[in-house]
Amino acid sequence: MSPPSYDGTGVEYYTIPSFKFVSGSSIDIRIAYRCFNPSARKTVCIPTCYGGRINTTLSFTAEDQALRSYGVIVVAMLGNGESSSPSNHPNFPKDLDYRDCINAQYQLLTNHLSIKELEAVIGFSMGGQQAYHWACMYPQFMKYAVLICSSAKTSLHNYAFIEGPKAALTNSIDYEDGAFRIKGIKPSRGLRAFGRTYCAWAMSAPWFRERQFEKLGFSNVEDFIKSNWEDAFEAWDPEDLLVLARMWQAGDIGKIREDGDYLKALEAIEAKVLVMPSRTDTYFPPEDSETEVQHLKHGELAVIETVWGHMAGGGANENDTLWMNDRIAKFIGTQPSLVGNLKETSLE
């Protein structure tokens, strides 16, 4: 989870005037992003996940990591509080669609950063769902997609899980049926209830049984819940959490097709796709990933053997991160030389 204090190191912004959403509404938006290795010849895009900020997102750009010589652009998806969101735009739409995020990111990359093609799109959780949408919406623009603890379509079980934290927030007394902002109230009780309800799903039963929270410095599970989940979500804007949760629940690459068939959408993907579920993920179980890979032309399944549940894919456990880094390096092949792809930009 994101820490309460915000780190804006290296974050830049690009404004898109009169951006049209899938819902039909049109407003000026801004996209937050950060560039690593901007002079590299080949470029990778990494969208943020639910609960993630640009500088809490794994970029794999450290000296000994898989993307050390790639240009990497970490992009904040719409609604996350860094890019345009309910918290920073009074006319932001009530509902988001993944297609909105990808269309905005495409404009950032092509119109602003002069990117002609992507080597890969890599994403964890909702970032992975964005990677799938990238592969369906702009198939000629990218060569590889890496999906970490994610899915092409949000399952009914995943949908039902998200209903719990949403209900904890929206039914809290200080949420005021959505009128908290008008009344000048921060719904701290609702936000903390959101985090407490969310917590058990993020890790696995073996993780709790083995008391893995002690490795994070917590002597008991209650301290872990309060510090790592209640405090973290209390730092978020309620409507940002809700608009992203609704988009997550509605996630389905089949919407890109007229017939709505997500399996046919998978079959049409031309990019080479690495699907990396966590063995103990309760959101996106490996059985769902196995089905997806069966329908991909160029799909590869690599299961993260871990007790860290969903959070294994977000960098919570060093061993899992090292394993993912190695698989990504092997999947995308040789490391390119630095010869220039991104144009330099300044903070707007």
Side-chain angles (χ1 to χ4, degrees):
M1 286 306 303
S2 301
S5 58
Y6 176 68
D7 176 12
T9 303
V11 176
E12 302 181 69
Y13 301 92
Y14 172 58
T15 298
I16 303 175
S18 302
F19 178 83
K20 188 172 182 178
F21 290 80
V22 170
S23 63
S25 61
S26 181
I27 60 173
D28 295 348
I29 63 170
R30 73 173 191 173
I31 302 299
Y33 66 98
R34 182 177 181 182
C35 294
F36 296 85
N37 303 327
S39 60
R41 181 170 60 88
K42 295 185 179 181
T43 306
V44 174
C45 178
I46 304 180
T48 57
C49 67
Y50 194 85
R53 307 291 195 189
I54 287 173
N55 284 318
T56 65
T57 299
L58 288 175
S59 66
F60 301 100
T61 54
E63 185 176 348
D64 58 346
Q65 292 187 322
L67 304 181
R68 62 187 179 274
S69 55
Y70 285 82
V72 173
I73 306 169
V74 180
V75 186
M77 64 178 161
L78 290 167
N80 93 319
E82 294 175 299
S83 291
S84 289
S85 308
S87 62
N88 57 38
H89 199 302
N91 298 317
F92 197 82
K94 180 180 178 181
D95 291 306
L96 266 177
D97 189 290
Y98 276 119
R99 289 169 287 182
D100 297 323
C101 296
I102 306 315
N103 285 330
Q105 291 166 23
Y106 182 78
Q107 289 193 45
L108 164 71
L109 296 178
T110 57
N111 297 345
H112 185 52
L113 297 176
S114 299
I115 303 298
K116 304 300 182 184
E117 66 175 1
L118 288 172
E119 188 72 2
V121 179
I122 299 174
F124 160 63
S125 194
M126 284 186 78
Q129 292 190 315
Q130 289 170 81
Y132 259 137
H133 279 75
W134 260 107
C136 292
M137 293 171 64
Y138 296 100
Q140 305 305 316
F141 196 71
M142 56 188 287
K143 297 178 181 178
Y144 302 96
V146 178
L147 298 304
I148 305 171
C149 300
S150 193
S151 70
K153 180 179 180 178
T154 299
S155 69
L156 297 178
H157 183 244
N158 197 344
Y159 180 98
F161 144 62
I162 301 168
E163 281 297 291
K166 281 173 55 184
L169 172 54
T170 58
N171 287 288
S172 67
I173 190 170
D174 52 1
Y175 181 71
E176 293 282 356
D177 293 325
F180 65 92
R181 211 183 306 278
I182 296 174
K183 296 184 178 182
I185 299 170
K186 180 176 181 178
S188 293
R189 288 179 61 176
L191 288 165
R192 297 185 74 83
F194 185 100
R196 181 170 285 268
T197 307
Y198 200 112
C199 173
W201 286 84
M203 309 312 193
S204 71
W207 188 91
F208 283 97
R209 185 165 56 247
E210 296 171 11
R211 303 180 66 86
Q212 293 283 343
F213 52 83
E214 293 178 351
K215 294 182 179 180
L216 301 176
F218 300 101
S219 59
N220 57 72
V221 70
E222 184 62 26
D223 288 346
F224 166 71
I225 295 171
K226 287 181 178 179
S227 178
N228 216 51
W229 292 93
E230 289 188 350
D231 290 354
F233 275 117
E234 190 177 10
W236 278 75
D237 180 87
E239 298 301 343
D240 290 354
L241 290 175
L242 292 171
V243 77
L244 290 180
R246 290 191 293 268
M247 180 166 68
W248 178 358
Q249 288 179 303
D252 180 359
I253 61 171
K255 292 180 179 180
I256 298 168
R257 297 174 55 88
E258 289 187 4
D259 61 12
D261 191 327
Y262 91 101
L263 293 178
K264 289 183 179 178
L266 284 169
E267 291 168 357
I269 291 175
E270 295 294 338
K272 296 179 180 178
V273 183
L274 174 62
V275 181
M276 289 197 291
S278 161
R279 178 65 68 191
T280 51
D281 193 340
T282 53
Y283 308 177
F284 307 106
E287 293 82 2
D288 291 349
S289 298
E290 291 170 3
T291 299
E292 292 175 1
V293 170
Q294 289 172 4
H295 289 270
L296 290 167
K297 293 178 183 176
H298 313 290
E300 179 180 328
L301 180 70
V303 180
I304 309 167
E305 299 295 345
T306 179
V307 300
W308 282 72
H310 183 67
M311 299 308 292
N317 179 39
E318 183 179 4
N319 288 338
D320 296 330
T321 302
L322 291 172
W323 187 88
M324 290 187 295
N325 178 76
D326 181 63
R327 291 309 297 250
I328 291 170
K330 291 177 181 177
F331 182 69
I332 63 177
T334 58
Q335 302 294 326
S337 59
L338 299 172
V339 291
N341 186 12
L342 295 177
K343 73 177 182 181
E344 298 290 343
T345 61
S346 58
L347 185 65
E348 295 180 353

